[in-house]
Amino acid sequence: MMDAPRWCEEFDLVEGNTLRLPSRARWLVHAATAQQVVAVVDESRARNLELWVLGEGSNVVLPPRLETVVLHSIDERIEADAGRHDCVDVRVGAGVHWDRLVHWAAERGLWGIENLAYIPGSAGAAPVQNIGAYGQELAGTCLRVEAVERSSGRIQTLERDECGFGYRDSRFRREPTGWVITALELRLSRAGCPVLDYPGIAATLAELNLVGDVPMDMVRAITMLRRRKLPDPQSLPNAGSFFKNPVVSEAEFRRLHADHPELPGTVVPEGVKLSAAWMIDRCGWRGLRRGGVGVAPSHALVLVHYGGADGSELLALADDIRTSVRQRFGVELEQEPLVPQSR
Ligand code: EPU
């Protein structure tokens, strides 16, 4: 018989978010299976309580108080099928720590997610913002997502095409009260080749005396690159990139480039992707500290919490950064971490 999910009252979430912002939830519920998620969705509806899904809290700005039910997956199963000569399909529970999955795959010589090494967070959160780094993104390997549809309380399987993946975006992000992701299915390749295009990868491999012909080489190099560039949330609490890289039209890029010839721009199908970090840096924000919050000294895209602040102080800083980038470059920045709404 299925155990009932565990409901904890007045749960302290300071350890449950990588910004270490003070936050307390009216209810926290751990769910180990999709059936348990259905039970929580049904019970929340019956009790007229709002629901918020929290993974490892690496991409959220929590308010001091959440009157909602906070649902947290503890499904940590990784299950591979028998595989074919060239690929293996892997079912990953929403509660699996993402970097554990990256290592699991690389240790078995499986390609497809090695450049996504050392990204904080859970597998269940990965499709929400279609995590991406160093030339790979989740959408490249994701076959389908299993999720509970909150309106019907039914377990559904959404094929990749139904997930609406985009740059740091998906249907799950656009429909924040629509779904609770319970598992992913990825197709990993036995015979992949390394993605080496992103600046710094080749040099880091060389520095480590690695060739990059096995996925684990890539995991080692990417982990070192990220460790050097991005502050470790354990020592300086943060939520990774705080803004998306904005995409503008080619005409807009030409205008910006005339005034700022060094502004990095990458051509993407939708236009030209600009570097938010570069613009924030040029506005003088990198390393700046204001009260208990600030901008990381090593990377202008990362806002940090030195301690003693709450979510509203961080959001006020983010607002000021957005305003100065708008005034100086005429470009609008979109925030990446989600902000749960509470009554
Ligand atoms: N730059 C600055 N100042 C800074 C940091 C960077 O001028 O303080 C310049 C760099 O010189 C470079 C450009 O900005 O020309 C881009 O920097 P970087 O290579 O660090 O990449 P990014 O575009 O800022 C994105 C992702 C990161 C991911 C890296 C590598 C977004 C919003 N962020 O950052 O994701 O690790 O590429 O692929 O797309 C995360 O989501 O937490 C994250 C770190």
Side-chain angles (χ1 to χ4, degrees):
M1 203 187 79
M2 183 187 81
D3 289 336
R6 198 154 49 85
W7 288 62
C8 310
E9 201 166 358
E10 291 299 327
F11 198 88
D12 188 345
L13 292 173
V14 72
E15 304 282 344
N17 76 104
T18 60
L19 275 161
R20 292 189 64 85
L21 293 168
S23 183
R24 189 171 272 274
R26 176 85 175 92
W27 296 103
L28 181 99
V29 195
H30 294 104
T33 62
Q35 288 73 21
Q36 288 196 348
V37 170
V38 170
V40 178
V41 166
D42 287 348
E43 188 166 344
S44 302
R45 197 187 304 113
R47 291 164 68 170
N48 195 25
L49 293 165
E50 282 176 45
L51 191 71
W52 172 261
V53 184
L54 185 68
E56 293 179 22
S58 60
N59 200 41
V60 287
V61 179
L62 295 181
R65 173 92 191 143
L66 272 164
E67 284 299 337
T68 60
V69 176
V70 174
L71 175 57
H72 178 72
S73 171
I74 50 168
D75 180 352
E76 295 180 13
R77 291 171 289 178
I78 301 177
E79 292 157 342
D81 72 357
R84 275 127 285 164
H85 72 284
D86 58 342
C87 63
V88 177
D89 292 351
V90 185
R91 183 195 184 276
V92 188
V96 171
H97 178 57
W98 175 261
D99 200 42
R100 181 185 147 225
L101 174 67
V102 171
H103 281 257
W104 180 95
E107 279 158 11
R108 287 160 180 77
L110 298 171
W111 295 87
I113 53 174
E114 60 286 348
N115 286 23
L116 303 178
Y118 210 59
I119 292 183
S122 61
V128 178
Q129 60 155 342
N130 182 23
I131 57 168
Y134 299 102
Q136 277 182 345
E137 56 180 24
L138 179 82
T141 49
C142 184
L143 283 181
R144 51 189 69 90
V145 172
E146 178 195 276
V148 174
E149 187 182 35
R150 286 170 57 174
S151 57
S152 64
R154 291 216 330 258
I155 302 168
Q156 307 268 27
T157 299
L158 288 94
E159 299 298 322
R160 183 202 339 236
D161 291 350
E162 298 174 287
C163 294
F165 289 125
Y167 164 63
R168 305 257 152 164
D169 197 27
S170 72
R171 173 175 190 176
F172 309 105
R173 194 180 159 98
R174 292 190 295 273
E175 300 171 12
T177 58
W179 307 91
V180 180
I181 293 170
T182 48
L184 334 175
E185 204 176 315
L186 306 185
R187 176 157 295 173
L188 302 175
S189 167
R190 293 192 203 274
C193 54
V195 178
L196 299 164
D197 319 335
Y198 205 89
I201 296 182
T204 310
L205 281 169
E207 198 182 329
L208 289 168
N209 268 323
L210 299 172
V211 189
D213 57 348
V214 289
M216 196 48 105
D217 281 7
M218 300 305 292
V219 169
R220 293 205 175 97
I222 299 289
T223 301
M224 183 153 132
L225 261 177
R226 287 185 75 93
R227 276 203 171 126
R228 275 188 186 157
K229 205 156 64 164
L230 300 164
D232 176 5
Q234 294 294 334
S235 42
L236 187 52
N238 72 82
S241 300
F242 207 86
F243 300 101
K244 296 185 186 187
N245 283 329
V247 177
V248 298
S249 67
E250 286 190 30
E252 176 70 356
F253 181 67
R254 278 195 295 275
R255 177 190 75 73
L256 283 160
H257 196 255
D259 291 340
H260 311 280
E262 280 159 22
L263 169 64
T266 314
V267 177
V268 293
E270 305 78 22
V272 182
K273 187 158 41 164
L274 308 176
S275 165
W278 190 91
M279 291 187 283
I280 297 167
D281 204 349
R282 291 316 169 281
C283 290
W285 288 101
R286 181 153 57 85
L288 191 129
R289 179 171 175 172
R290 198 163 80 184
V293 296
V295 178
S298 60
H299 204 296
L301 205 50
V302 181
L303 301 200
V304 296
H305 177 207
Y306 290 100
D310 67 14
S312 62
E313 282 165 74
L314 196 77
L315 294 174
L317 175 66
D319 254 354
D320 290 348
I321 293 172
R322 234 190 320 259
T323 303
S324 69
V325 167
R326 186 188 306 123
Q327 285 170 349
R328 172 126 183 229
F329 297 97
V331 173
E332 203 55 49
L333 293 183
E334 190 187 331
Q335 184 172 315
E336 193 172 292
L338 300 167
V339 184
Q341 304 300 328
S342 190
R343 285 183 288 212

